[in-house]
Structure formats: structure tokens, C-alpha cells
Amino acid sequence: MPIFDRRSRKEALLLVLTILAGLAAGAVLMLLTGNDPAAGYGYLFRGGLMSLERAGNTLATAAPLIFTGLSVAVAFKTGLFNIGAAGQMLIGGFCAVAVGLTADFPRPLLLAAMTAAAAVSGGVWAAAAGWFKARFNVHEVVSTIMLNWIAYWLVYYLVPAYFKGPFATESRNIPAAASLRTDWLSGLFDGSYINLGIFLAIAAVLLCAFLLQRTTLGFALKAVGFNRLAAEYAGIDAGRSIVAAMALAGALAGLGGMTLYCGYAASLQIGVLPSQGIDGIAVALLASNSPWGVLAAALFFGVLYSGKGFMNAMTSIPPEIADTIIATIIYFAATSALMEKGVDKVVKRLKGGV
């Protein structure tokens, strides 16, 4: 079976059309505010890609989004709406930071221990919501939102109590041995804050694509997502698949938290849920829940997030326009079913159909 089958190519086409529709809507907004869309988009994309340093920063920005996008997409494949990626990121990131601040291992072993701590803690955190869903039919939206706030207050207490830094709102800075940043990679991108998290994220994309397309577990997850009753009639344990899907989604989000707090930043800030957890929903929607689409969508969002400051500095276009473009793209992604019908109609006419 080819990696990019007909369905994947169609999803790629829908991704491009959705982005173009969002950019067109953004251009209209720029015109309405009296600005030049060509100049605005020129500075927006140059801000994310104009130099090796900015390209590295874009990749570093995209890495947590890849993880949270995959987290939401894997849950969607099983018919679950994982709105708790932010809490899973927070727990995974906290455990990785805790290991990094306390363990005295050689760097490769320390990074491996932090990765395991982030994945396991995030997975267990989300599996609890999966278990409630499978055992008591508690809707995952309710349970994951509650778990988000439990994670928020748990970390809010634990960081000042055991890992307090120079400021009351953040942990101590992790040591260099526990950081995902490396001199050779930063030097390769002219001193950007790119880190090893991008390699972890790409490995996660490959793993998810393989798992969903080539394994029995992936087939079971998707079968439950299509029709739980039919899957159970076919002999698939739907409850176990739901718990497994949420555990995998949580592990991915936990790794995103490690990438955020130990790569993008150097400490854990309390009192705020990571916005990347919510942005992951947008990434997954834009990607039609495809792992490869998540990679492309997260990179695109990385360019927008990295470039909007430069666009604002070089023009009179407010940075909120970039956020509006993202929101518009999400809107078009949410209505992708209509766009898909339009594409099918055009293809049918091109082939001579009625």
C-alpha cells in the first residue's frame, strides 16, 4: 500500500484549498483596513522564513503544535474529542522538568528519562478520561476539561513547593544537560532556538502514520471511530481501543509539553495552560486528522506565528490580522465537508460525468 494513497492526495488538496481560502479572506481584511495584502503576506512569510535563524525559530514553534495536532487527530480517529491536550502537555512537561531538575544522569540517559516521564505521565493522565468514557460513558469533553484544571492547580502547587525559581510564577531553569537545545543545531540555524524536539516530532508523525495505516491496533482504533457498535460486533474490544487511543493521545501531548518547556523555553511557567493544546485542535482540523497533514499544518501555523511580529513591525497591519487569518482557516477547515463535495463535483465534471 503506498504511503500517499488517493485519499491522502485528496486530503492534501483540501488542505491547500483551505489555506488558500483563509489567505484570501485575510487579504480582504487587509484591504478593508487600508493595507496592501501583497506587502502584508510578503512580510508575514519572510518573517518566518527569510533567514536560517527565522526558519529555525519557525521549526521550534511548530514542534509542540505537531505533537498536540497528532494528539487531537489520533483521538478523532477513534471518535473522541480530546480537548484536554493542554492539561496533558502541562503534566507531561512538568514531569520532564521535574526529572531534569532532580536526576543526575549523563545527558543521553537524562533526556531519555525525561522523554519517558513526559510520555508516560501524559498517557496516564489522558487514559483516565478514556477509562471513564469506556467504563461509565462519561463524555471525554467533560472529563478532559476537568482534568485540565486538575493539572493546572496541581502544577500550580507543586512548582512553588518543590521547584521554585527566582520568580514565584516559574520553576528553576533546567540545566544545560536537560535542555533539548544543542549547540550544533542552534549553530546550524544561526543561533535560533530550534531544538531536538523537532526530530522527536517528526518521529512521532512517522510512528502515528505507521500505526494508523499498517497495524492491527490502528485498524481497531479507526473501526471504533467509524462505528463503535459495528466494531464490537466484529469482535473488537471498543473499550480497550478507547483507553488506548486516549493514552496514545496523552503521550503525544506530554511529549509536546516536554518540547515546550525543555526546548522552546527553559523553565515551566505556572498559572497558565499552554495555548498549544487548544491550537492542536485547529492543526488537526486543518489536517483532516492525517499525520502527514498535521506535519504540514503545524509548519504552516509555525510560519504564521513566527512571522506575524515581523509583519507588524514592517507594516501598519496589526498582528491580530494574522490571528484572524488562522481563525478563518479553521473556519474553512471546519466546513471542509462542503469543500470536499465541491472538489468531487469538479473532478466528476472534468471526467465527463454529469
Side-chain angles (χ1 to χ4, degrees):
M1 177 188 291
I3 295 177
F4 297 103
D5 54 14
R6 184 178 177 185
R7 180 64 193 172
S8 299
R9 291 194 292 272
K10 188 175 182 180
E11 288 172 350
L13 176 61
L14 288 173
L15 171 67
V16 172
L17 290 176
T18 301
I19 290 174
L20 290 177
L23 293 177
V28 172
L29 286 175
M30 291 185 199
L31 285 172
L32 291 176
T33 56
N35 292 287
D36 180 6
Y41 281 130
Y43 286 118
L44 181 66
F45 287 104
R46 284 179 63 195
L49 301 168
M50 66 186 291
S51 65
L52 276 175
E53 181 186 3
R54 288 186 177 274
N57 293 343
T58 295
L59 291 173
T61 304
L65 294 174
I66 294 173
F67 279 115
T68 54
L70 288 174
S71 173
V72 176
V74 167
F76 267 140
K77 288 283 188 184
T78 317
L80 303 168
F81 187 20
N82 180 23
I83 203 170
Q88 295 147 24
M89 279 188 79
L90 195 56
I91 286 295
F94 168 76
C95 290
V97 169
V99 171
L101 288 174
T102 55
D104 185 18
F105 300 150
R107 191 177 188 222
L109 187 58
L110 180 60
L111 292 180
M114 293 166 61
T115 302
V120 171
S121 58
V124 170
W125 199 257
W131 184 77
F132 281 121
K133 172 77 174 183
R135 184 70 177 81
F136 303 108
N137 201 28
V138 177
H139 202 289
E140 70 277 6
V141 170
V142 176
S143 57
T144 51
I145 288 176
M146 294 299 102
L147 286 169
N148 276 353
W149 288 109
I150 294 172
Y152 174 94
W153 290 111
L154 194 61
V155 172
Y156 196 94
Y157 165 74
L158 290 174
V159 167
Y162 299 102
F163 305 103
K164 184 179 177 182
F167 301 103
T169 56
E170 61 187 41
S171 71
R172 299 194 299 273
N173 283 345
I174 57 172
S179 174
L180 290 174
R181 296 190 192 184
T182 59
D183 292 337
W184 67 268
L185 190 55
S186 294
L188 194 63
F189 284 86
D190 287 345
S192 80
Y193 49 84
I194 187 174
N195 55 78
L196 297 176
I198 188 63
F199 297 114
L200 281 175
I202 293 173
V205 171
L206 294 171
L207 175 66
C208 288
F210 178 79
L211 186 146
L212 292 173
Q213 295 177 8
R214 305 294 181 89
T215 67
T216 305
L217 174 61
F219 177 80
L221 298 183
K222 290 188 289 185
V224 173
F226 281 126
N227 190 316
R228 178 176 177 173
L229 295 177
E232 288 178 333
Y233 184 75
I236 295 173
D237 189 333
R240 187 165 58 186
S241 296
I242 288 171
V243 175
M246 287 303 294
L248 178 58
L252 290 164
L255 290 173
M258 173 185 166
T259 303
L260 177 65
Y261 297 119
C262 304
Y264 189 91
S267 63
L268 192 155
Q269 186 180 7
I270 65 171
V272 59
L273 284 168
S275 61
Q276 288 85 353
I278 300 300
D279 293 341
I281 299 172
V283 171
L285 278 174
L286 184 58
S288 299
N289 303 319
S290 159
W292 299 108
V294 165
L295 176 63
L299 290 174
F300 177 69
F301 277 24
V303 170
L304 294 184
Y305 286 139
S306 296
K308 65 181 182 181
F310 186 70
M311 179 184 74
N312 178 239
M314 300 302 293
T315 68
S316 59
I317 300 173
E320 289 78 12
I321 289 290
D323 294 327
T324 305
I325 293 169
I326 293 172
T328 308
I329 290 172
I330 294 168
Y331 174 79
F332 282 111
T335 57
S336 59
L338 295 175
M339 196 171 291
E340 185 174 1
K341 285 184 179 178
V343 170
D344 289 340
K345 200 171 182 180
V346 171
V347 171
K348 193 173 180 181
R349 285 189 176 179
L350 290 175
K351 288 182 177 178
V354 179

